Amino acid sequence: MALTRISLSLLLFSVIPTAYSYWVFGGAVPLVTTRLDSIVSPGEVSSHVHTVLGGSRFGANYDFNDLTRSECSTILVQSDKSNYWAPQLYYLDQAAGTYTPIPTFFNIYYLPRPGPKNEQIHAFPNGLRMLAGDVLRRVNNATNYADKAISYYCLDERADFFEHQCPNAMRAQIFFPSCWDGVNLDSPDHKSHMAYPLQDYNTGDCPDTHPVHLISLFYEMIVRVDLFPYVPGSWVYSFGDTTGLGLHADFQDGWEDKSLLQNAIDQCVEVNGDVTGTLAYPSQSNPTLRSQQNNSLKLMIVRHILACAPLNAAINNAAAAACKPEMSIPNENVGFTSALTKLPGCNLLWSGTGPKPVCDPNPPTPSFAPTRSTLPSGWTELGCIVEGTTGRAFTSASTTDPAMTKTLCANYCGNLNFPFAGVEYGDECYCGSEFSNGAVNQTVPWSDCSVTCAGNPNENCGGPNRLSFLYNPTKH
Ligand SMILES: *[C@@H]1O[C@H](CO)[C@@H](O)[C@H](O)[C@H]1NC(C)=O
Ligand SMILES: *[C@@H]1O[C@H](CO)[C@@H](O)[C@H](O)[C@H]1NC(C)=O
Ligand SMILES: *[C@@H]1O[C@H](CO)[C@@H](O)[C@H](O)[C@H]1NC(C)=O
């Protein structure tokens, strides 16, 4: 049971002073882990792998209006279609020479932090983008706010990785600048339109050059290093860094309802406190991760939003849990399917203070592939339906497959000439020509079909007692 106390105990020692009010989108799971960065490398495969949360239309390139049309968000408050991302941390098994992604949950803090002048705190302007941290940083300047904004917590707080076992997981922490120039939604370095406050990186009054005080954003990544044996030098960021100094993070605003965000900022004082439930990291086919799935990846969620009335009213747990990416991503294994022998891209091990090692030759760039499988011709998805009450909805044929997708099921039923196909609980496929055993052609909320397809981590295949219903009228 010690594990369920992790987040709470971590939070008690957090850098966030309790005198401040705030809320946390806690225990958030990734939308996708992939080599994209729509801010730094728009339209391209990015140089290293990121773990991305939030709106489902995250992709290589998009704008605010496009992002707000996301079907869903992995953030509990569904009108927040923003994207939040940071580099993935890997575990290097030095004997085997393999890299496995270390499961990571995010707690996303929204902190109203007026300084001595008690400046008004504003919601993000539509489409704001920003970057905190520096992928090339190799030294720590303890008085520089941009450096102070990046830190780690294990048994104590540090600026970089350090030789410590972290029995309660490690927190990687990033505090974004909160002062905006009032004009630019982005800038060439993705930083200079924003500034840290005058008194400190995490609180204070805004400088005259950046006079608009926005809500402060703080990512606390709970990195489950405790699931792996501790060996110095085994923690490696996706860009090769073994020091931790190059940690950086990105934010792309996608709040479709800015009045909701502003109401929360204005009304939700003293929202500290609620802690609810546990949550499991999404299942993976990498055997190392799969063996950890059942117990050890469960973690207590720290939410701190139930007491914030405007946000509480907008929570949709089921939609957040079922949310999958919609856009194409680079077609490569980033370690969740099986362990890697090299980090994706050109990312050789990079320790010490020297320059980043270069690759000769550069590895090939992968092409893009859709995240969801494409149904065979004639088939359409009609939605999520409830399984029969006295038996299966579709009884004519069935199969299970560890590579199950909607496409695989439609092909299976189509080859047998059945017009109805239903995928259930990740890897089951049922075919029929009619609804049986009390099942009806009536859809329930899409998020009831929230179980990840056994054969595609970015697609849902039904749920417990729920079928993703596929139909081909030409077979009727
Ligand atoms: C450290 O940061 C401070 C504040 O930004 C700056 O004045 C100082 O020059 C920096 N020191 C070094 C060695 O870069
Ligand atoms: C996880 O638990 C379920 C139910 O208890 C069991 O069927 C399954 O085999 C377990 N998986 C692993 C990887 O241990
Ligand atoms: C199920 O119902 C939908 C909407 O009511 C309808 O469009 C569809 O044709 C029906 N499908 C079948 C297979 O009866």
Side-chain angles (χ1 to χ4, degrees):
M1 285 311 290
L3 283 166
T4 57
R5 292 200 295 268
I6 286 171
S7 261
L8 183 60
S9 60
L10 289 175
L11 198 85
L12 294 176
F13 295 102
S14 167
V15 292
I16 308 301
T18 49
Y20 292 107
S21 62
Y22 58 95
W23 71 85
V24 189
F25 294 134
V29 295
L31 173 77
V32 66
T33 301
T34 186
R35 203 140 60 88
L36 290 179
D37 185 331
S38 57
I39 294 180
V40 174
S41 332
E44 295 170 2
V45 175
S46 76
S47 61
H48 54 273
V49 172
H50 297 103
T51 294
V52 186
L53 285 79
S56 53
R57 290 187 72 81
F58 173 82
N61 215 345
Y62 53 83
D63 63 17
F64 171 76
N65 290 326
D66 191 25
L67 186 57
T68 56
R69 285 195 291 272
S70 292
E71 172 180 280
C72 53
S73 171
T74 64
I75 301 299
L76 297 180
V77 171
Q78 290 292 293
S79 88
D80 178 16
K81 301 295 198 314
S82 302
N83 287 133
Y84 308 82
W85 68 95
Q88 174 69 43
L89 191 67
Y90 286 84
Y91 181 78
L92 169 61
D93 179 332
Q94 295 176 48
T98 55
Y99 298 86
T100 298
I102 305 178
T104 302
F105 296 85
F106 283 60
N107 292 326
I108 306 226
Y109 288 68
Y110 276 72
L111 306 140
R113 285 292 180 84
K117 289 189 193 158
N118 205 21
E119 292 163 339
Q120 197 199 330
I121 304 297
H122 299 272
F124 304 119
N126 283 350
L128 182 79
R129 301 170 161 203
M130 58 180 163
L131 175 62
D134 182 352
V135 68
L136 297 176
R137 186 165 73 103
R138 303 312 283 171
V139 291
N140 184 51
N141 177 344
T143 57
N144 186 324
Y145 292 169
D147 286 11
K148 284 176 81 178
I150 305 292
S151 62
Y152 294 91
Y153 187 93
C154 171
L155 300 175
D156 59 4
E157 189 149 315
R158 307 277 182 108
D160 54 15
F161 291 159
F162 39 92
E163 298 198 0
H164 262 338
Q165 305 230 24
C166 300
N168 287 341
M170 177 180 71
R171 291 197 324 242
Q173 312 177 134
I174 302 134
F175 209 105
F176 282 84
S178 56
C179 300
W180 178 44
D181 71 7
V183 178
N184 299 295
L185 298 175
D186 198 355
S187 48
D189 63 358
H190 314 295
K191 290 181 176 176
S192 34
H193 59 307
M194 299 296 298
Y196 284 98
L198 294 169
Q199 288 85 350
D200 209 342
Y201 72 100
N202 61 359
T203 188
D205 300 319
C206 285
D208 293 343
T209 52
H210 296 76
V212 183
H213 203 144
L214 305 180
I215 182 86
S216 293
L217 195 55
F218 173 63
Y219 300 177
E220 181 180 76
M221 296 154 66
I222 310 293
V223 189
R224 298 299 309 273
V225 295
D226 56 305
L227 298 174
F228 298 83
Y230 177 69
V231 181
S234 59
W235 301 343
V236 185
Y237 273 122
S238 56
F239 50 98
D241 180 22
T242 59
T243 69
L245 288 165
L247 176 58
H248 55 280
D250 300 68
F251 172 70
Q252 160 74 58
D253 168 62
W255 276 87
E256 55 190 3
D257 183 354
K258 282 299 182 320
S259 60
L260 172 61
L261 178 56
Q262 191 66 55
N263 286 342
I265 293 169
D266 296 341
Q267 295 171 28
C268 299
V269 288
E270 304 306 331
V271 177
N272 314 338
D274 59 271
V275 177
T276 58
T278 60
L279 159 127
Y281 201 73
S283 64
Q284 311 292 346
S285 51
N286 180 327
T288 306
L289 295 173
R290 216 173 169 76
S291 67
Q292 295 164 342
Q293 190 63 40
N294 268 5
N295 42 33
S296 53
L297 293 188
K298 292 213 174 79
L299 194 68
M300 186 168 268
I301 307 172
V302 183
R303 276 186 189 149
H304 296 257
I305 53 176
L306 300 185
C308 176
L311 294 179
N312 193 344
I315 290 175
N316 185 337
N317 289 303
C323 193
K324 293 282 194 290
E326 297 178 62
M327 312 301 274
S328 294
I329 59 171
N331 188 11
E332 65 184 351
N333 170 29
V334 298
F336 289 104
T337 312
S338 56
L340 302 167
T341 53
K342 281 184 186 147
L343 294 169
C346 170
N347 292 295
L348 306 174
L349 282 184
W350 182 21
S351 57
T353 55
K356 190 174 194 293
V358 294
C359 299
D360 183 22
N362 267 319
T365 303
S367 55
F368 282 77
T371 42
R372 301 177 184 184
S373 68
T374 311
L375 291 179
S377 161
W379 289 88
T380 51
E381 182 174 356
L382 295 183
C384 186
I385 63 167
V386 178
E387 183 58 285
T389 49
T390 55
R392 297 286 173 193
F394 304 138
T395 56
S396 303
S398 69
T399 185
T400 61
D401 197 311
M404 186 60 68
T405 61
K406 285 172 182 157
T407 300
L408 191 150
C409 183
N411 276 327
Y412 173 79
C413 296
N415 288 340
L416 298 171
N417 270 313
F418 294 113
F420 294 174
V423 207
E424 184 165 347
Y425 212 64
D427 65 353
E428 304 166 15
C429 172
Y430 299 94
C431 317
S433 313
E434 59 186 6
F435 292 91
S436 303
N437 292 314
V440 289
N441 177 19
Q442 194 180 334
T443 57
V444 292
W446 71 272
S447 54
D448 276 19
C449 282
S450 62
V451 174
T452 303
C453 299
N456 182 358
N458 296 317
E459 183 174 321
N460 289 328
C461 282
N465 219 33
R466 297 285 185 279
L467 301 158
S468 298
F469 175 34
L470 314 172
Y471 177 48
N472 184 347
T474 68
K475 306 271 183 194
H476 227 157

